[in-house]
Amino acid sequence: MTQKAEPAQKAAVFLDRDGTIMEDRGFVDDPGEVRLLPGAVEALKALQGRYVLFVVTNQSGIARGAITREGADRVNRFLDGELQRRGVDIREWYVCPHGPGDGCRCRKPSSFFLEEAAREFGVDLSRSFVVGDHPHDPETADGTGAFGLYVLTGHGQRHLEELPEGQLVFHALPGAAEWILGHPEPQRDLEENLQAGAAALRAGGLTAFATETVYGLGADALNPEAVEGIFRAKGRPHADPLIVHIARREQLKGLVREVPPAAEVLMDRWWPGPLTVVLPKSEAVPEAVTAGHPTVAVRMPAHPLARRLIEAAGVPVAAPSANIFGRTSPTTAAHVADQLGQACDVIVDAGACRVGVESTVVSLTGEVPVLLREGGVTREELEEVLGVPVAGSAGRLPEEERISPGLMESHYAPQVPLVLAGDWEGSEGAELRGDPQTGILYFGGEEESQGEESRPGDFAGPVEVLSRRGDAREAAVNLYAALRRLDGWRDAGGRRLRRMAAVLLPETGAGAAVNDRLRKAAGRGGEPVLDADPRP
Ligand code: TXA
Ligand code: MG
């Protein structure tokens, strides 16, 4: 085997510190407060095989007098020592000690330290990456040729709204590192991935792709054979109709017979976005897509890469969530590969999904709008914009009225049984908390000032934090990945969990969508299965 010559210039990864590598606990000057985030060390080790690592951190607490420069340096030295001890070498620690009004040149989003690394260490910025949990982190890459990635740890969730739509996001550093390693030429690799996905769609194949809600398993919506491939791959019953995804509003015309004023209002407000409208279908839409219904569900995804894929394919794209029927929906490309890797011609890997639960589905085919599935757009928001009550909440419809199969009770199910507890107190809660083989889906309501521990105490089994501060949107983003991790969890003896347990969220806003998925994952009743055999 001939070895490729090492490029003369090194490529680098520039990492934010707080909220990206270690927990963000505010102004830290005491090494005793340093907590590495889960998986950070392994991710950094994987990266340093190919990249030189730098840390770039804004420590405005110094300018504010909350901490001293010495304190910040002490923390960096400690962290550097910890990482070295575990085999990770950070080439340089770049600290901006200034505040917003100081007029310095080094404060992020300035690319000052990236340029510095290019000069001092011969870094080739055009092959480099920036990772961080604040919009200003990926922004430092702008104009330098480097590629920015955003992580949802630390403050990531809180600033999500400020982020440009096209910005790739990841649940945490390990996911970002994996993506970097798989995309050495990120712009070109993404483009190739997208074009391959579009070509597969045109050829009647299956392309899985990221949307803002969950990953979809796409096929040409106007090609019945291609659509049949979706049902085969997922093991999905033919009675369950698919959502058709479009890139532009004009594409709607070809798919529906009429667009009532209420639909226009909703589309004006939420398209592109996590809202699906059900309308009377046109002749062009095959029965295979709509399961023989006279209606069709249509949505325009917010993820720009999803729209570019649809545009490049040149056809509307039918796509259910890219999971085996009845199982947990995917919010990363790795989730898709897990269950449907073999069945997909192409997986367009565009990071994690920002919303995390499926779109809201509203039917506008009758007298009144009907909410068929709770999702990224809340019922309250719909009613406010429409100015009328929205009928039928998924969870409360009697069985015979469940015209949308997504309303079926057992859905989105992990393999390990999920039980819903009233609370974590009381005797039931105590039993769940005390059992090392019960995995916990934890939703807190804690003050930010308490800091972000890596896990809440008082649980004997593994804990997945959906949102420590009790933010339902954050819980939605984390839900499916958390379910999957608990589903795959093994103890030292290789045993699976006996069950997972969750307490429902307050039923408002995004909480309704999360609760809907939790109830469906728990299935009918949600009785604890205390001696469930671990399934293979
Ligand atoms: O966020 C989403 O909607 C994701 C991404 C990939 O876009 N897609 C998704 O698709 O969740 P799927 O197939 O898992 O769910 C589609 C839902 C089901 O509840 C289905 O029954 C309902 O939409 N649906 C589709 N066509 C319908 C129709 N004509 N009438 C009533 N419900 C319909
Ligand atoms: Mg940060």
Side-chain angles (χ1 to χ4, degrees):
M1 227 172 78
T2 51
Q3 288 247 298
K4 271 195 190 162
E6 278 288 305
Q9 280 191 301
K10 304 163 209 134
V13 179
F14 297 89
L15 299 130
D16 172 49
R17 191 191 79 180
D18 302 343
T20 303
I21 298 176
M22 64 180 234
E23 287 175 10
D24 191 337
R25 303 177 145 221
F27 302 126
V28 180
D29 59 358
D30 172 7
E33 282 192 62
V34 170
R35 300 278 181 284
L36 283 164
L37 286 169
V41 169
E42 294 69 24
L44 295 173
K45 276 169 104 161
L47 284 173
Q48 75 177 1
R50 236 191 274 160
Y51 296 95
V52 187
L53 306 181
F54 294 90
V55 168
V56 183
T57 175
N58 279 0
Q59 291 296 325
S60 58
I62 299 171
R64 286 212 221 168
I67 54 171
T68 60
R69 176 72 205 226
E70 292 67 42
D73 289 344
R74 194 160 54 230
V75 168
N76 289 341
R77 268 198 310 277
F78 172 80
L79 190 52
D80 193 47
E82 270 308 287
L83 290 173
Q84 275 193 25
R85 200 172 56 75
R86 298 166 73 170
V88 176
D89 180 39
I90 302 291
R91 182 65 47 89
E92 187 68 273
W93 295 73
Y94 291 120
V95 179
C96 166
H98 307 107
D102 293 352
C104 70
R105 292 189 299 144
C106 54
R107 190 179 153 85
K108 294 187 273 193
S110 157
S111 55
F112 182 81
F113 287 127
L114 272 64
E115 316 282 0
E116 179 116 326
R119 272 195 307 276
E120 252 187 83
F121 299 96
V123 168
D124 175 1
L125 293 178
S126 75
R127 291 187 295 124
S128 297
F129 297 83
V130 181
V131 187
D133 69 318
H134 191 282
H136 67 208
D137 290 307
E139 236 186 280
T140 63
D142 291 355
T144 67
F147 191 88
L149 290 79
Y150 187 81
V151 288
L152 294 169
T153 43
H155 287 251
Q157 189 71 38
R158 239 160 296 179
H159 295 285
L160 201 46
E161 313 265 283
E162 303 155 32
L163 215 55
E165 292 256 288
Q167 174 64 54
L168 298 194
V169 311
F170 298 84
H171 288 123
L173 182 56
E178 203 183 317
W179 194 90
I180 291 172
L181 292 169
H183 299 78
E185 294 188 51
Q187 301 287 8
R188 206 203 62 180
D189 295 342
L190 258 179
E191 190 58 33
E192 275 184 13
N193 200 198
L194 205 75
Q195 294 307 332
L201 289 171
R202 277 195 303 274
L206 297 179
T207 296
F209 61 101
T211 81
E212 75 281 18
T213 58
V214 299
Y215 271 71
L217 179 65
D220 175 355
L222 304 181
N223 175 347
E225 274 170 50
V227 169
E228 176 54 32
I230 293 177
F231 288 94
R232 217 178 311 125
K234 286 193 56 140
R236 179 176 171 118
H238 286 90
D240 198 354
L242 303 173
I243 295 173
V244 178
H245 297 68
I246 59 178
R248 281 170 292 111
R249 188 100 162 236
E250 300 84 82
Q251 286 180 292
L252 181 64
K253 284 195 209 88
L255 301 171
V256 302
R257 269 197 287 114
E258 53 173 324
V259 183
E264 300 278 6
V265 170
L266 294 182
M267 293 183 300
D268 285 344
R269 171 69 179 77
W270 278 291
W271 279 16
L275 181 76
T276 297
V277 294
V278 175
L279 295 168
K281 84 172 196 73
S282 77
E283 297 280 304
V285 182
E287 301 249 303
V289 171
T290 66
H293 289 278
T295 57
V296 62
V298 187
R299 105 173 179 92
M300 188 197 296
H303 203 308
L305 286 174
R307 292 203 306 280
R308 284 199 42 220
L309 173 75
I310 300 164
E311 196 66 67
V315 290
V317 175
S321 52
N323 52 277
I324 293 169
F325 179 72
R327 298 266 296 277
T328 311
S329 302
T331 51
T332 68
H335 291 167
V336 178
D338 258 8
Q339 288 186 8
L340 293 174
Q342 298 295 316
C344 299
D345 292 298
V346 178
I347 301 176
V348 179
D349 182 353
C353 303
R354 287 191 195 192
V355 175
V357 294
E358 295 81 353
S359 62
T360 300
V361 181
V362 188
S363 170
L364 298 163
T365 57
E367 296 278 287
V368 292
V370 182
L371 179 63
L372 294 176
R373 180 174 70 185
E374 330 235 35
V377 173
T378 69
R379 182 197 192 83
E380 292 95 322
E381 291 173 320
L382 286 174
E383 295 190 332
E384 193 184 314
V385 166
L386 287 173
V388 295
V390 173
S393 164
R396 278 166 242 138
L397 276 184
E399 191 93 43
E400 56 281 10
E401 283 177 40
R402 293 191 186 155
I403 52 173
S404 186
L407 306 180
M408 290 186 300
E409 275 180 357
S410 177
H411 218 85
Y412 315 107
Q415 294 189 295
V416 172
L418 169 67
V419 299
L420 301 178
D423 55 50
W424 298 122
E425 315 308 319
S427 60
E428 183 201 21
E431 191 197 326
L432 296 169
R433 275 192 286 118
D435 176 16
Q437 272 188 279
T438 296
I440 303 294
L441 293 161
Y442 180 82
F443 182 78
E446 294 171 23
E447 293 298 318
E448 283 183 37
S449 58
Q450 289 186 345
E452 302 186 28
E453 302 274 345
S454 48
R455 63 172 273 158
D458 222 17
F459 292 100
V463 178
E464 285 288 339
V465 178
L466 296 181
S467 172
R468 172 171 293 279
R469 64 202 164 98
D471 175 344
R473 287 196 186 275
E474 179 172 14
V477 171
N478 292 326
L479 177 67
Y480 288 134
L483 279 170
R484 279 178 188 248
R485 278 192 295 268
L486 291 180
D487 225 10
W489 187 89
R490 299 283 188 282
D491 70 9
R495 277 178 310 170
R496 306 184 71 157
L497 291 170
R498 168 205 321 272
R499 65 191 161 193
M500 0 183 153
V503 171
L504 291 177
L505 279 52
E507 199 68 39
T508 53
V514 172
N515 287 348
D516 170 62
R517 304 313 188 272
L518 285 172
R519 288 196 189 94
K520 285 168 178 163
R524 272 161 223 278
E527 289 299 311
V529 187
L530 290 176
D531 299 309
D533 273 341
R535 272 170 274 179

